[in-house]
Every structure is written in C-alpha cells, then in structure tokens.
Amino acid sequence: MDGEKTVWARSVALALYKLARKKKRKYFLRFFDTRVYPSDKPLSNPYDVVEHILTIKSDGGTSITHALRTALKDLREQGLDKYTNTVIIITDGEDKVDQRLVEEFKRANTVLVAVMISGYNSTLEKIAKATGGQYTSAELTSDGALKIISLVR
C-alpha cells in the first residue's frame, strides 16, 4: 500500500487502537510487507503503537499469509491467546493468500477481522466468514470512511 491507502490504513489502525483503549482491551500490533515487523514480538506499549502507526512507511511487497501465520504464532507462543482470540488485518488485499489458513484459524479457535482498504481478497473473506469474523471493504471516499467508523463503534 502507498499514498492515500496508507493514510487510510493508519486512520483505521488509530481508530481500532482508540476503541481498544476505550474498552480497556489488550492490543498487540505488528506491521508487514514481505516481512513482519517488529521481528521479535508485537508492540503493546501505547507510545510505541501510536508512534509506529503514524510513521510506518510502505516499502512495497506483501505477504499476507506470512503476516497471518505470525499473528497465530504470537497468540499461541507468546501467550496472547489469554487476552484475545481475534486477529485484525488492515490491507488492500493485493496478495495471494494460502487457502490452508482457513483451517489454521479454525484449529486455533481464532477469529479474523479483515478490513480492506480499497481492495478485495476472496481468501481473506472466506477466512473471516469461516471463523465468525468480519470482512469489510472501504473505498477511499466519505462513504467508505463512514463504513469504517461504523465497524469500530
């Protein structure tokens, strides 16, 4: 993602962060392109979360499959599953996603919420629906902004 899509993705991430804080929920954040950042563990410190959301740069390339597998691994291996069973991905969906992730999410009893920024990905939609999650696509318009706001309320 780049340009206006990145601005929208940042806005969605900040809105979700604000909602988590308001509801006193734990949150963990990672970014991805062909790799997942930070490499050791997800961010959870409020200062780091906001700073990274506001300064992240798109370097091109995407590996949604790797990002989702890392999120599942974080839940399992870092004990984050005691706080949440939901993974939220914000993407334009421009990548082929491994179909086996449907079963991996089901086995992990994890819900996927996919927020598409001016894009579409049928596999992400399938995973979200199969896990009882949500799949929403928002265009870069005022109607798209209202759709995202209604999602995070």
Side-chain angles (χ1 to χ4, degrees), residues 63-119:
S63 180
I64 293 172
T65 297
H66 182 60
L68 292 176
R69 284 198 171 118
T70 299
L72 290 171
K73 183 178 175 184
D74 286 344
L75 289 172
R76 183 180 63 251
E77 293 182 8
Q78 298 202 27
L80 305 182
D81 57 353
K82 64 185 170 196
Y83 302 110
T84 186
N85 74 331
T86 303
V87 170
I88 300 172
I89 187 165
I90 303 167
T91 181
D92 61 7
E94 292 183 12
D95 189 29
K96 185 175 179 177
V97 179
D98 189 337
Q99 298 277 337
R100 293 174 290 188
L101 278 167
V102 173
E103 291 307 315
E104 292 175 39
F105 267 78
K106 284 182 175 180
R107 272 194 309 277
N109 194 32
T110 302
V111 173
L112 178 68
V113 175
V115 180
M116 306 304 297
I117 305 297
S118 194

Side-chain angles (χ1 to χ4, degrees), residues 17 29 31 43-55:
Y17 165 75
L29 181 69
F31 300 92
L43 301 170
S44 60
N45 175 289
Y47 176 80
D48 293 338
V49 168
V50 173
E51 178 185 16
H52 280 79
I53 289 172
L54 294 175
T55 61

Side-chain angles (χ1 to χ4, degrees), residues 98-150:
D98 189 337
Q99 298 277 337
R100 293 174 290 188
L101 278 167
V102 173
E103 291 307 315
E104 292 175 39
F105 267 78
K106 284 182 175 180
R107 272 194 309 277
N109 194 32
T110 302
V111 173
L112 178 68
V113 175
V115 180
M116 306 304 297
I117 305 297
S118 194
Y120 176 74
N121 187 297
S122 62
T123 306
L124 288 178
E125 183 176 30
K126 183 178 178 181
I127 298 167
K129 288 179 179 179
T131 62
Q134 293 183 33
Y135 179 91
T136 188
S137 179
E139 296 304 315
L140 308 182
T141 64
S142 56
D143 286 343
L146 292 173
K147 188 174 184 179
I148 291 172
I149 290 168
S150 70

